[in-house]
Amino acid sequence: MEPARTLAIAGAGIGGLTAALTLNRIGYRVIILERETELTEAGAGLQLSPNASRVLIDLGLEQSLASTAITPEAIRVINARSGRDIARLPLGERVSTRFRAPYWLIHRAALQATLAAKVRATPGIELRLGWRFDEVTDEASGVTVIQRRGMSYRAERVQALIGADGVWSAVRQQVFPEAGPRFSRRIAWRGMIDAAHAPRFFEKRNVHLWMGPNAHLVAYPVVGSGSINLVAIVTGEWNKPGWSEPGHAAELARHFTKPWDDFARALINATPSWRKWALFEVPNPVFAKGAVAMLGDAAHAMLPFAAQGAAMAIEDAAVLARSIETHPDDLTAAFRHYETARRARVSRVQRLSRQNGQIYHLKGVASTARDQTMRLLGGKRLLARQNWIYGWRP
Ligand SMILES: Cc1cc2nc3c(=O)[nH]c(=O)nc-3n(C[C@H](O)[C@H](O)[C@H](O)COP(=O)(O)OP(=O)(O)OC[C@H]3O[C@@H](n4cnc5c(N)ncnc54)[C@H](O)[C@@H]3O)c2cc1C
């Protein structure tokens, strides 16, 4: 097949699907190669800040996403010992008006399904499920992407490859073997409960963030407020790769004993089942080499404490397309442009995520100082500190 103006994307996660849409829009035929035989995003929630929702709206997805997303009114930051509010960061209309794009809470499966539906309805994009990327070989006029199957293989010749295959990226392993993921000594537990079973304290239109010694808990509504998504972050050494290891409630409960706030504990106890995964980051982001570009977690997996991992993958997809538009006849130059446009911002968000993780888990006098500072600043000024993230435009 003639590779000109055809790109392959390894991975049909949020980053890969968004990139297929942005790249097709600038006139490229796109083949998405996804190793799974069906698309089944983990059953968890996602916060989509305006910098990301803006890109998705621009792709014509506003109506379908708005019908399933929730626009929260505020983020409540709560001291896990006293159970008292430290600050409330106003979201809702304030954010939509200020940044001209909404802050959404959405089920990950709903976002992936919306993107996949759009991809399937777009004639210039082909989604191939059960096609695992194993190897890429560089040639003068493009690259060949290969899947090995015992003694045989299948191959696809394209102009360039985009590695969007997540934190354990096989593309990154081959092209940037030096840039491996690093374990953070943090473990995320996620669960979902029926909103009808939530304690009364829970405000059904708000994000709740409890900050406690060596652990924090985030809870927010998803799926038309019918369910509550819970993510508990604890410290530990368990570091098996993967996303969905069943977790025992009793093991988690050990991290949330008294004096943890009764309401947070009630939410945790009301959650019927848990899945856990070890948190890794790719601390030295990689973006491009020759005719291969990287995006999303494959390029720069980050800790989830700024709620920006998917948002950065979505931004990457927009900037990659814009960079190619700027250098239409030279993909290598376009990829260099993309790297220059992304490196500083992504690294800054990675740093913020690490810092937030430390701040959320402070103990003793340090946590008292943190709470006082946040109270003094107040919700509006705390929100204003996110301007550089939310106000971004492609
Ligand atoms: C606890 C937690 C909470 C989070 N909360 C938020 C949040 O609120 N807001 C936010 O913006 N982000 C959040 N994130 C981050 C976000 O989930 C990720 O950054 C985002 O999903 C990454 O998308 P991706 O497309 O790069 O990778 P992935 O979603 O991992 O997709 C990679 C795809 O590649 C496929 N694949 C893998 N290997 C191959 C191969 N060899 N060949 C072909 N296909 C392959 C996989 O099957 C998968 O479909 C959170 C993360 C965690 C851990």
Side-chain angles (χ1 to χ4, degrees):
M1 180 183 295
E2 172 52 52
R5 296 197 75 75
T6 301
L7 303 171
I9 297 177
I14 290 159
L17 291 169
T18 309
L21 295 169
T22 59
L23 294 169
N24 175 259
R25 206 167 52 162
I26 58 161
Y28 276 80
R29 177 175 171 249
V30 182
I31 306 170
I32 312 175
L33 307 171
E34 166 58 47
R35 76 173 167 196
E36 302 296 337
T37 49
E38 53 182 322
L39 294 184
T40 48
E41 245 296 356
L46 202 60
Q47 304 185 52
L48 276 183
S49 46
N51 46 317
S53 66
R54 173 177 297 126
V55 173
L56 300 174
I57 289 169
D58 214 32
L59 286 169
L61 298 171
E62 180 164 20
Q63 221 183 347
S64 38
L65 291 176
S67 68
T68 149
I70 293 171
T71 308
E73 283 159 12
I75 300 176
R76 285 179 71 181
V77 185
I78 306 162
N79 180 300
R81 280 171 167 262
S82 67
R84 286 205 209 102
D85 280 15
I86 300 167
R88 271 182 191 243
L89 283 65
L91 299 174
E93 277 305 304
R94 186 182 191 89
V95 161
S96 305
T97 310
R98 165 103 178 70
F99 298 104
R100 295 171 194 269
Y103 195 108
W104 276 332
L105 306 176
I106 192 163
H107 199 286
R108 299 167 73 97
L111 174 57
Q112 193 184 33
T114 302
L115 288 165
K118 177 90 174 171
V119 155
R120 287 190 167 109
T122 306
I125 307 179
E126 202 186 320
L127 174 57
R128 293 193 196 158
L129 299 177
W131 212 112
R132 189 193 63 235
F133 164 89
D134 282 327
E135 203 178 316
V136 59
T137 60
D138 223 334
E139 288 136 30
S141 62
V143 295
T144 299
V145 183
I146 297 165
Q147 175 180 16
R148 303 218 166 270
R149 307 165 116 189
M151 298 297 281
S152 66
Y153 65 91
R154 19 183 200 181
E156 191 67 53
R157 264 194 84 211
V158 288
Q159 201 181 345
L161 169 68
I162 318 298
D165 51 343
V167 62
W168 300 105
S169 169
V171 179
R172 189 190 61 236
Q173 235 167 59
Q174 187 192 331
V175 181
F176 302 93
E178 69 288 356
R182 179 173 75 188
F183 178 50
S184 65
R185 298 199 152 71
R186 300 286 171 89
I187 298 139
W189 291 63
R190 69 158 198 276
M192 201 62 104
I193 59 173
D194 190 327
H197 301 146
R200 271 209 327 268
F201 168 84
F202 189 82
E203 294 174 4
K204 291 192 178 138
R205 298 214 57 93
N206 287 338
V207 178
H208 298 60
L209 162 64
W210 282 265
M211 302 190 296
N214 294 329
H216 74 273
L217 176 69
V218 182
Y220 55 83
V222 282
V223 206
S225 302
S227 303
I228 296 168
N229 178 70
L230 266 86
V231 180
I233 307 284
V234 300
T235 49
E237 296 299 326
W238 177 83
N239 65 356
K240 227 165 113 182
W243 287 95
S244 240
E245 183 87 1
H248 298 292
E251 186 191 333
L252 179 64
R254 280 205 292 276
H255 295 273
F256 293 91
T257 52
K258 279 278 191 196
W260 256 79
D261 175 30
D262 283 339
F263 289 108
R265 283 154 43 83
L267 265 180
I268 289 173
N269 292 335
T271 306
S273 67
W274 291 95
R275 299 264 159 186
K276 62 177 182 176
W277 67 98
L279 296 177
F280 285 80
E281 60 175 337
V282 174
N284 299 309
V286 288
F287 292 94
K289 194 183 275 181
V292 178
M294 307 292 300
L295 65 75
D297 278 9
H300 48 64
M302 56 185 66
L303 299 178
F305 313 135
Q308 284 296 314
M312 287 300 120
I314 292 167
E315 284 189 9
D316 287 346
V319 176
L320 184 61
R322 197 194 59 204
S323 302
I324 295 176
E325 256 185 323
T326 314
H327 299 273
D329 303 317
D330 185 352
L331 275 189
T332 310
F335 289 174
R336 276 200 304 272
H337 182 275
Y338 164 66
E339 167 154 15
T340 307
R342 294 305 288 157
R343 183 173 285 286
R345 176 168 172 83
V346 162
S347 302
R348 189 173 172 197
V349 177
Q350 276 189 322
R351 280 198 299 278
L352 175 74
S353 305
R354 260 177 241 133
Q355 273 166 13
N356 282 353
Q358 284 162 1
I359 291 168
Y360 294 172
H361 288 199
L362 288 174
K363 293 185 266 202
V365 280
S367 70
T368 310
R370 170 200 66 201
D371 293 0
Q372 273 170 0
T373 310
M374 288 180 92
R375 269 197 200 97
L376 269 174
L377 279 169
K380 284 183 194 155
R381 275 197 283 173
L382 285 169
L383 184 73
R385 291 182 155 201
Q386 311 295 320
N387 285 355
W388 67 274
I389 299 182
Y390 299 170
W392 175 90
R393 281 183 168 69

